Amino acid sequence: MNEKILLTGNEAIARGVWEAGGHLVVAYPGTPSTEITENAAKYLELSAQWAPNEKVALETGIGCSIAGKRVLVAMKHVGLNVAADPLFTAAYTGVNGGLVIVSADDPGIHSSQNEQDNRHYGRAAKVPVLEPSDSKEAKNFTKLAFVLSEQFDVPVILRLTTRVAHSQSLVELSPREELPLKDYVKDAGKYVMVPAHAKKRHVILENKLLELAKFSDQNKELNHILWQNRKMGIVASGAVYQYVREALPDVSVLKIGMSFPLPEKLIKEFAAGVEKLFVVEELEPFMENAIKAMGIEVVGSEMFPRVGEIFTEDIRAKLGDAAARPILPTMGIPVRPPVLCPGCPHRAVFYVLHKLKLNVSGDIGCYTLGFMPPLSAIDTTICMGASISVAHGMEVAQGREMAAKTVAVIGDSTFIHSGITSLINTVYNGGSSTILILDNSITAMTGHQHNPATGFDAKGNPAPKLSLAALVRACGVNRVQIVDAFDLKKLQAALKEELAVCEPSVIIVERACALIDKSSRQPVLVANQEKCNGCGLCLALGCPCLIKRSDGKVEVDAAQCVGCGLCAALCQRGALEKTGDE
Amino acid sequence: MSKTTNILIVGVGGQGTILASRVLAGVLLAEKYDVKVSEIHGMSQRGGSVVTQVRYGDFVASPIIEPQTADIVLAFELLEALRSLPFLAEDGKLIVNTQAILPMPVVTGEAQYPTDALSQLEKQASLVLATDALQMALACGNPKGVNIVLLGILSALMDIKEETWLLVLRDKVPPRFLGVNLAAFAEGRKWGLNKK
Ligand SMILES: Cc1ncc(C[n+]2csc(CCOP(=O)(O)OP(=O)(O)O)c2C)c(N)n1
């Protein structure tokens, strides 16, 4: 028997690509999908690339596939919105080397801006959707997805949820299969999607779907029935399947590994073999509606809500006979929300924005935490890249007066992802926004991935470093300032200056993320209790190291402090002093 | 089939809970159990609550622990221990590091850190092993060894050979930190065996 090890779902997928003789993993980071690419980067035989956004990642994947190699493209659920354009047409063209697209969904919104159910993309774009329920399946389904993709000439979506991506379970390892490079064949009818070709390819795709539906009925690795007590039958996929097995180990289960197209015959056989049919699924009634459309009576979303995750105890409570163990409310325990880290350069920026009482059109990244009290300095956060365009829309609605007290705030990675086009739009359409690019030299939120502006690639090798200032100027912005995040005076002056002018301007706020640049650590501070008068000025920074004592004075948590000195710069009485310790 | 055992590890981002869970999982794997582990990353990295769930037995389906079923809760921080109580089984054991790390609402004076946290825990859990693991780690010369001290205590409550723990520690801890970490483990284990 081969070696068995514990892997997360994401590690297992990277391993699956390697075993399947894959060539490339390309992605834009996004929780809970990021570690797929990080782990793929560790395999010598695999290429791994961070693309600037998901659309570019998928298009690179399409090219790699057309040119004859197996490729996996990874993204979080909202990333597929960005990549939806190439997805829908890649379904028409089909593939050469296998093309697998991971959509890592986030039911329960652990770290996302919504909880959309991307199985809908499979049906909408007419590509098959596989749903692994643990790491073993994550690896096996990845390999199977490549085979399916090549056999049916179609991209395949591998849909994960946070619990599958981030849970570890046992995986049996196999060796790598070495595949020859397939020929690059010019075939305009297949790959040039002009109307005349696309009309034909659509017919071909519809036929493939019929074949895929047959496959779904026949493939026992993906879809199979576990016949047990027949009083009740449950249809389930993904992590929820495991919860069903845990809560109701004796009932009959139809395990779905391919949720589009569904195995209609198998579902009918199952429905006929049990007294009452249920479907347990998180988020959308995706399987439920399809089963109802087959004319089968089934109970699902009326019992389980469409919002958030479903857990073992919920299934036990609704369908089990054992008394459910309720979660007892915990009263009066203060919450522990995430915060900007000690020494974080973003804190300085939001302190100034708050102080100047500006309207702030925000974006997505660590800096989104600037919305939290006491900084309370972000008014809107929609999706990546939206800060600049939303600020422009505000200016269009309310006029120049609004632009004079509004800024857009966007991180380096997010600016490159989709802020550039928004900036070009503002310049082109005569806007006068003031835009802050918070350049902390890394994609921090998702755990420190490189991007085109950091000077390194996904494998950690040196790469050409994009100059944000040159890029911004090339977009037509004439007013560009570069400021150190911790130079509060200069930052404030730059803001006032740029808000006052009636043309678009960009302030690039530079300072490396405090978690990567430990070299800049300074001696820890202490609060001199004789000098501190409890004025609370420093507390406006929202630094987790500054603790308000019951007498109103401030104390510094030396275990957390990294000595960034922001608080000392604010204190009028010199009460925050350096110690000798780092 | 034997019952599945549930161990819940709770703490604050940056405390080393992840390494602790990796060592624990490694030990269980070495003992040939079926193991599933669930950890939630993401926003929790930025100083938020961190929860890792470890389940093992002959066969484990779900990686997620149900309320009131944790056999052991290993809490790296007092407030997080309180928060985890709904998950502790009636006869479950709670190991708690008495260190307090103040969350933002407490730091800004909006909320109060419960002053009677430990006595609340003792009232509600059937067995509480409470210690200042930071002091124990410091005594072994390693302020970052809190997680390993706590693992040592955990090992005292589990029916697994000490050898296996040491083997896995050697495998998962970087060599330059191995010495201090083995000392931290021994310290925790000794303390746990005395208290049990
Ligand atoms: C379409 C989309 N892709 C990916 C993500 C996940 N994500 C959230 S923020 C972020 C990057 C933030 O990096 P940056 O803009 O440099 O800000 P930082 O976190 O470094 O402050 C990513 C990848 C997302 N929310 N939406």
Side-chain angles (χ1 to χ4, degrees):
Chain A
M1 201 176 76
N2 292 322
E3 189 192 356
K4 270 192 186 174
I5 61 170
L6 267 178
L7 293 180
T8 62
N10 284 345
E11 290 166 335
I13 288 169
R15 176 77 192 189
V17 179
W18 181 82
E19 288 183 8
H23 181 66
L24 169 67
V25 172
V26 54
Y28 181 72
T31 312
S33 69
T34 312
E35 301 83 4
I36 297 172
T37 313
E38 290 179 323
N39 280 284
K42 296 177 189 163
Y43 292 94
L44 278 180
E45 296 85 348
L46 292 181
S47 294
Q49 295 190 356
W50 291 127
N53 67 36
E54 293 85 355
K55 177 176 183 290
V56 175
L58 180 50
E59 289 155 355
T60 304
I62 291 170
C64 183
S65 159
I66 292 175
K69 290 234 170 172
R70 289 187 169 178
V71 50
L72 181 132
V73 187
M75 59 198 71
K76 70 183 284 151
H77 57 340
V78 287
L80 200 49
N81 301 334
V82 179
D85 197 8
L87 170 71
F88 279 67
T89 303
Y92 280 32
T93 65
V95 306
N96 184 19
L99 172 60
V100 178
I101 300 158
V102 172
S103 165
D105 294 10
D106 189 19
I109 320 189
H110 294 281
S111 70
S112 301
Q113 60 266 43
N114 74 28
E115 57 178 346
Q116 67 188 52
D117 186 335
N118 276 8
R119 294 176 299 177
H120 285 313
Y121 268 117
R123 197 177 50 204
K126 302 178 182 292
V127 302
V129 179
L130 306 189
E131 287 194 77
S133 71
D134 62 9
S135 302
K136 177 178 147 201
E137 288 184 356
K139 193 192 81 165
N140 292 346
F141 286 14
T142 300
K143 294 167 78 172
L144 184 60
F146 280 119
V147 175
L148 254 182
S149 171
E150 289 172 2
Q151 185 182 337
F152 291 90
D153 188 15
V154 67
V156 175
I157 292 178
L158 188 69
R159 188 239 187 189
L160 309 179
T161 57
T162 299
R163 300 293 178 172
V164 175
H166 284 173
S167 294
Q168 300 169 45
S169 57
L170 289 174
V171 176
E172 197 176 323
L173 302 182
S174 305
R176 175 171 164 94
E177 179 189 352
E178 286 302 341
L179 295 178
L181 175 65
K182 291 186 169 180
D183 290 335
Y184 173 65
V185 185
K186 288 182 195 274
D187 185 349
K190 178 162 157 59
Y191 293 123
V192 181
M193 283 304 96
V194 291
H197 297 167
K199 282 178 194 168
K200 291 185 189 141
R201 294 300 302 180
H202 187 186
V203 176
I204 294 172
L205 179 59
E206 293 297 338
N207 288 331
K208 283 180 203 170
L209 281 178
L210 297 177
E211 292 305 310
L212 278 160
K214 281 188 209 152
F215 174 88
S216 187
D217 258 322
Q218 286 155 4
N219 187 291
K220 294 281 167 280
E221 184 181 352
L222 290 172
N223 304 319
H224 53 86
I225 298 173
L226 183 67
W227 285 120
Q228 301 192 104
N229 186 325
R230 295 183 182 229
K231 278 212 156 54
M232 181 194 294
I234 298 180
V235 182
S237 67
V240 175
Y241 164 77
Q242 302 290 357
Y243 308 156
V244 167
R245 295 289 293 135
E246 188 77 38
L248 310 166
D250 303 322
V251 308
S252 294
V253 183
L254 170 53
K255 156 87 162 81
I256 298 291
M258 185 175 202
S259 45
F260 183 79
L262 280 168
E264 184 160 347
K265 274 198 199 131
L266 200 65
I267 290 170
K268 287 186 169 152
E269 178 193 338
F270 187 62
V274 297
E275 280 172 38
K276 195 158 173 54
L277 187 67
F278 296 89
V279 52
V280 186
E281 60 189 327
E282 274 168 350
L283 303 179
E284 295 299 303
F286 183 82
M287 297 191 288
E288 179 186 342
N289 287 350
I291 293 171
K292 284 182 174 158
M294 293 169 196
I296 298 170
E297 215 176 293
V298 62
V299 177
S301 52
E302 61 209 76
M303 203 167 227
F304 296 96
R306 291 177 184 207
V307 177
E309 295 183 277
I310 293 175
F311 289 113
T312 311
E313 61 268 24
D314 304 321
I315 299 167
R316 212 185 277 288
K318 299 273 166 61
L319 296 175
D321 25 307
R325 290 175 276 244
I327 182 154
L328 305 170
T330 43
M331 304 288 272
I333 302 178
V335 292
R336 193 185 294 279
V339 289
L340 293 172
C341 303
C344 177
H346 299 331
R347 175 172 293 111
V349 176
F350 290 109
Y351 171 77
V352 175
L353 297 179
H354 178 82
K355 196 174 142 204
L356 295 180
K357 300 196 174 63
L358 296 175
N359 305 316
V360 180
S361 171
D363 221 299
I364 304 197
C366 283
Y367 50 92
T368 310
L369 293 172
F371 88 90
M372 298 231 301
L375 293 166
S376 312
I378 288 186
D379 305 347
T380 61
T381 295
I382 315 293
C383 67
M384 289 191 71
S387 55
I388 300 175
S389 8
V390 167
H392 178 64
M394 289 174 169
E395 181 177 358
V396 173
Q398 296 227 355
R400 170 64 204 150
E401 218 174 286
M402 175 131 194
K405 46 183 195 202
T406 302
V407 294
V409 173
I410 188 166
D412 50 338
S413 185
T414 304
F415 178 67
I416 297 164
H417 178 278
S418 48
I420 300 167
T421 38
S422 305
L423 179 61
I424 293 172
N425 173 62
T426 300
V427 172
Y428 172 61
N429 284 305
S432 68
S433 300
T434 299
I435 295 148
L436 270 68
I437 302 179
L438 308 186
D439 181 8
N440 60 354
S441 315
I442 204 77
T443 313
M445 172 88 256
T446 40
H448 300 109
Q449 290 74 36
H450 285 296
N451 68 51
T454 68
F456 293 91
D457 68 13
K459 291 228 176 193
N461 297 317
K465 190 168 162 23
L466 172 73
S467 160
L468 293 175
L471 175 63
V472 163
R473 286 200 184 93
C475 292
V477 177
N478 295 317
R479 302 188 59 94
V480 182
Q481 299 203 39
I482 298 177
V483 185
D484 174 0
F486 281 179
D487 191 341
L488 297 178
K489 284 212 182 81
K490 191 164 168 208
L491 183 58
Q492 188 165 326
L495 273 164
K496 287 190 174 161
E497 192 183 332
E498 299 306 340
L499 284 164
V501 296
C502 193
E503 64 175 289
S505 42
V506 171
I507 304 171
I508 301 177
V509 187
E510 290 184 341
R511 181 163 280 252
C513 166
L515 295 182
I516 49 166
D517 187 13
K518 298 204 169 136
S519 65
S520 68
R521 291 218 171 160
Q522 297 286 325
V524 168
L525 302 184
V526 287
N528 181 324
Q529 297 302 321
E530 265 152 38
K531 291 191 189 163
C532 176
N533 68 348
C535 72
L537 206 58
C538 60
L539 293 176
L541 285 169
C543 175
C545 309
L546 297 172
I547 295 157
K548 187 176 172 182
R549 303 193 325 186
S550 49
D551 64 359
K553 295 190 183 188
V554 166
E555 204 173 84
V556 177
D557 179 355
Q560 286 197 72
C561 177
V562 295
C564 75
L566 262 188
C567 56
L570 291 185
C571 184
Q572 314 267 314
R573 306 173 62 94
L576 292 149
E577 300 167 344
K578 287 196 170 164
T579 63
D581 311 332
E582 267 190 39
Chain B
M1 210 167 74
S2 76
K3 172 189 167 298
T4 300
T5 303
N6 299 325
I7 301 181
L8 189 69
I9 303 178
V10 299
V12 177
Q15 278 195 303
T17 52
I18 301 284
L19 178 69
S21 72
R22 298 249 156 156
V23 172
L24 173 59
V27 164
L28 297 167
L29 193 61
E31 293 287 320
K32 303 270 182 284
Y33 285 108
D34 187 16
V35 188
K36 285 195 174 170
V37 181
S38 169
E39 45 190 56
I40 291 297
H41 319 221
M43 294 291 254
S44 52
Q45 279 184 342
R46 306 282 169 266
S49 307
V50 184
V51 176
T52 305
Q53 328 199 16
V54 180
R55 308 192 69 223
Y56 67 98
D58 293 339
F59 168 77
V60 182
S62 162
I64 313 292
I65 296 175
E66 290 175 72
Q68 298 180 47
T69 67
D71 299 286
I72 302 177
V73 170
L74 184 62
F76 280 51
E77 200 273 347
L78 262 181
L79 192 61
E80 296 313 307
L82 269 183
R83 211 187 304 284
S84 75
L85 276 178
F87 285 87
L88 192 65
E90 216 174 312
D91 58 351
K93 297 164 188 167
L94 174 70
I95 299 169
V96 57
N97 175 18
T98 54
Q99 233 183 311
I101 300 177
L102 307 187
M104 208 54 202
V106 171
V107 167
T108 56
E110 248 171 81
Q112 292 271 301
Y113 196 102
T115 46
D116 60 343
L118 192 57
S119 62
Q120 278 194 51
L121 291 172
E122 275 161 349
K123 228 177 280 162
Q124 294 183 55
S126 66
L127 176 71
V128 178
L129 297 187
T131 182
D132 187 335
L134 181 60
Q135 286 310 319
M136 289 170 74
L138 283 171
C140 303
N142 178 14
K144 297 231 179 288
V146 169
N147 52 357
I148 307 294
V149 167
L150 291 171
L151 269 184
I153 301 176
L154 175 67
S155 80
L157 297 189
M158 291 175 70
D159 200 9
I160 287 173
K161 297 186 291 289
E162 186 176 7
E163 273 164 65
T164 312
W165 288 93
L166 299 180
L167 212 74
V168 174
L169 276 174
R170 285 200 184 91
D171 183 44
K172 307 252 181 217
V173 175
R176 37 188 193 118
F177 301 123
L178 187 63
V180 277
N181 277 314
L182 288 179
F185 181 81
E187 187 67 18
R189 186 171 169 87
K190 190 176 77 193
W191 187 89
L193 287 171
N194 273 332
K195 286 279 163 172
K196 166 167 106 156

